[in-house]
PDB file of all heavy atoms in Angstrom:
ATOM      1  N   PRO O 394      72.003  51.969   0.684  1.00 92.00           N
ATOM      2  CA  PRO O 394      72.732  50.887   0.048  1.00 92.00           C
ATOM      3  C   PRO O 394      74.208  50.984   0.381  1.00 92.00           C
ATOM      4  O   PRO O 394      74.831  51.974   0.181  1.00 92.00           O
ATOM      5  CB  PRO O 394      72.431  51.152  -1.492  1.00 92.00           C
ATOM      6  CG  PRO O 394      71.134  51.839  -1.437  1.00 92.00           C
ATOM      7  CD  PRO O 394      71.240  52.810  -0.226  1.00 92.00           C
ATOM      8  N   SER O 395      74.811  49.937   0.755  1.00 78.00           N
ATOM      9  CA  SER O 395      76.144  49.888   1.279  1.00 78.00           C
ATOM     10  C   SER O 395      77.109  50.209   0.044  1.00 78.00           C
ATOM     11  O   SER O 395      78.129  50.843   0.464  1.00 78.00           O
ATOM     12  CB  SER O 395      76.535  48.444   1.789  1.00 78.00           C
ATOM     13  OG  SER O 395      76.419  47.501   0.789  1.00 78.00           O
ATOM     14  N   LYS O 396      76.823  50.013  -1.204  1.00 56.00           N
ATOM     15  CA  LYS O 396      77.842  50.236  -2.200  1.00 56.00           C
ATOM     16  C   LYS O 396      77.942  51.762  -2.310  1.00 56.00           C
ATOM     17  O   LYS O 396      78.955  52.205  -2.952  1.00 56.00           O
ATOM     18  CB  LYS O 396      77.359  49.672  -3.500  1.00 56.00           C
ATOM     19  CG  LYS O 396      75.985  50.269  -4.006  1.00 56.00           C
ATOM     20  CD  LYS O 396      75.612  49.547  -5.336  1.00 56.00           C
ATOM     21  CE  LYS O 396      74.155  50.106  -5.890  1.00 56.00           C
ATOM     22  NZ  LYS O 396      73.863  49.424  -7.139  1.00 56.00           N
ATOM     23  N   ASN O 397      77.045  52.549  -1.870  1.00 46.00           N
ATOM     24  CA  ASN O 397      77.109  54.039  -1.952  1.00 46.00           C
ATOM     25  C   ASN O 397      77.606  54.624  -0.694  1.00 46.00           C
ATOM     26  O   ASN O 397      77.753  55.965  -0.589  1.00 46.00           O
ATOM     27  CB  ASN O 397      75.734  54.617  -2.241  1.00 46.00           C
ATOM     28  CG  ASN O 397      75.286  54.220  -3.562  1.00 46.00           C
ATOM     29  OD1 ASN O 397      75.895  54.254  -4.611  1.00 46.00           O
ATOM     30  ND2 ASN O 397      74.051  53.584  -3.563  1.00 46.00           N
ATOM     31  N   SER O 398      78.068  53.898   0.263  1.00 45.00           N
ATOM     32  CA  SER O 398      78.348  54.432   1.556  1.00 45.00           C
ATOM     33  C   SER O 398      79.488  55.204   1.632  1.00 45.00           C
ATOM     34  O   SER O 398      79.677  56.195   2.273  1.00 45.00           O
ATOM     35  CB  SER O 398      78.559  53.282   2.610  1.00 45.00           C
ATOM     36  OG  SER O 398      79.693  52.421   2.166  1.00 45.00           O
ATOM     37  N   LYS O 399      80.508  55.003   0.628  1.00 45.00           N
ATOM     38  CA  LYS O 399      81.669  55.793   0.396  1.00 45.00           C
ATOM     39  C   LYS O 399      81.315  57.232   0.033  1.00 45.00           C
ATOM     40  O   LYS O 399      82.330  58.113   0.215  1.00 45.00           O
ATOM     41  CB  LYS O 399      82.665  55.168  -0.502  1.00 45.00           C
ATOM     42  CG  LYS O 399      82.154  55.082  -1.945  1.00 45.00           C
ATOM     43  CD  LYS O 399      83.189  54.455  -2.905  1.00 45.00           C
ATOM     44  CE  LYS O 399      82.696  54.209  -4.180  1.00 45.00           C
ATOM     45  NZ  LYS O 399      83.734  53.602  -5.142  1.00 45.00           N
ATOM     46  N   ASN O 400      80.170  57.357  -0.549  1.00 45.00           N
ATOM     47  CA  ASN O 400      79.831  58.822  -1.009  1.00 45.00           C
ATOM     48  C   ASN O 400      78.982  59.606  -0.124  1.00 45.00           C
ATOM     49  O   ASN O 400      78.513  60.673  -0.363  1.00 45.00           O
ATOM     50  CB  ASN O 400      79.059  58.691  -2.336  1.00 45.00           C
ATOM     51  CG  ASN O 400      79.921  58.083  -3.438  1.00 45.00           C
ATOM     52  OD1 ASN O 400      81.049  58.264  -3.545  1.00 45.00           O
ATOM     53  ND2 ASN O 400      79.346  57.174  -4.346  1.00 45.00           N
ATOM     54  N   VAL O 401      78.728  58.857   1.123  1.00 45.00           N
ATOM     55  CA  VAL O 401      77.876  59.391   2.093  1.00 45.00           C
ATOM     56  C   VAL O 401      78.589  60.175   3.143  1.00 45.00           C
ATOM     57  O   VAL O 401      79.609  59.605   3.693  1.00 45.00           O
ATOM     58  CB  VAL O 401      76.956  58.565   2.662  1.00 45.00           C
ATOM     59  CG1 VAL O 401      76.049  59.119   3.841  1.00 45.00           C
ATOM     60  CG2 VAL O 401      76.064  57.779   1.633  1.00 45.00           C
ATOM     61  N   ILE O 402      78.217  61.475   3.510  1.00 42.00           N
ATOM     62  CA  ILE O 402      78.776  62.079   4.596  1.00 42.00           C
ATOM     63  C   ILE O 402      78.389  61.484   6.018  1.00 42.00           C
ATOM     64  O   ILE O 402      77.195  61.557   6.156  1.00 42.00           O
ATOM     65  CB  ILE O 402      78.481  63.570   4.655  1.00 42.00           C
ATOM     66  CG1 ILE O 402      79.015  64.250   3.261  1.00 42.00           C
ATOM     67  CG2 ILE O 402      79.149  64.287   5.861  1.00 42.00           C
ATOM     68  CD1 ILE O 402      78.650  65.753   3.222  1.00 42.00           C
ATOM     69  N   LYS O 403      79.261  60.978   6.651  1.00 45.00           N
ATOM     70  CA  LYS O 403      78.935  60.295   8.035  1.00 45.00           C
ATOM     71  C   LYS O 403      78.512  61.389   9.111  1.00 45.00           C
ATOM     72  O   LYS O 403      79.136  62.472   9.040  1.00 45.00           O
ATOM     73  CB  LYS O 403      79.961  59.364   8.454  1.00 45.00           C
ATOM     74  CG  LYS O 403      80.152  58.108   7.485  1.00 45.00           C
ATOM     75  CD  LYS O 403      81.120  57.128   8.209  1.00 45.00           C
ATOM     76  CE  LYS O 403      81.163  55.882   7.244  1.00 45.00           C
ATOM     77  NZ  LYS O 403      82.144  54.893   7.837  1.00 45.00           N
ATOM     78  N   ALA O 404      77.673  61.008   9.934  1.00 45.00           N
ATOM     79  CA  ALA O 404      77.286  61.863  11.066  1.00 45.00           C
ATOM     80  C   ALA O 404      78.436  62.174  12.047  1.00 45.00           C
ATOM     81  O   ALA O 404      79.353  61.333  12.221  1.00 45.00           O
ATOM     82  CB  ALA O 404      76.100  61.220  11.770  1.00 45.00           C
ATOM     83  N   ASN O 405      78.473  63.239  12.514  1.00 43.00           N
ATOM     84  CA  ASN O 405      79.492  63.590  13.529  1.00 43.00           C
ATOM     85  C   ASN O 405      79.091  63.270  14.947  1.00 43.00           C
ATOM     86  O   ASN O 405      77.871  63.254  15.177  1.00 43.00           O
ATOM     87  CB  ASN O 405      79.716  65.140  13.499  1.00 43.00           C
ATOM     88  CG  ASN O 405      80.280  65.670  12.138  1.00 43.00           C
ATOM     89  OD1 ASN O 405      81.129  64.910  11.593  1.00 43.00           O
ATOM     90  ND2 ASN O 405      79.844  66.773  11.723  1.00 43.00           N
TER      91      ASN O 405
END
Side-chain angles (χ1 to χ4, degrees):
S395 58
K396 63 181 180 180
N397 295 305
S398 61
K399 63 181 180 181
N400 298 321
V401 178
I402 300 175
K403 293 188 176 181
N405 295 320

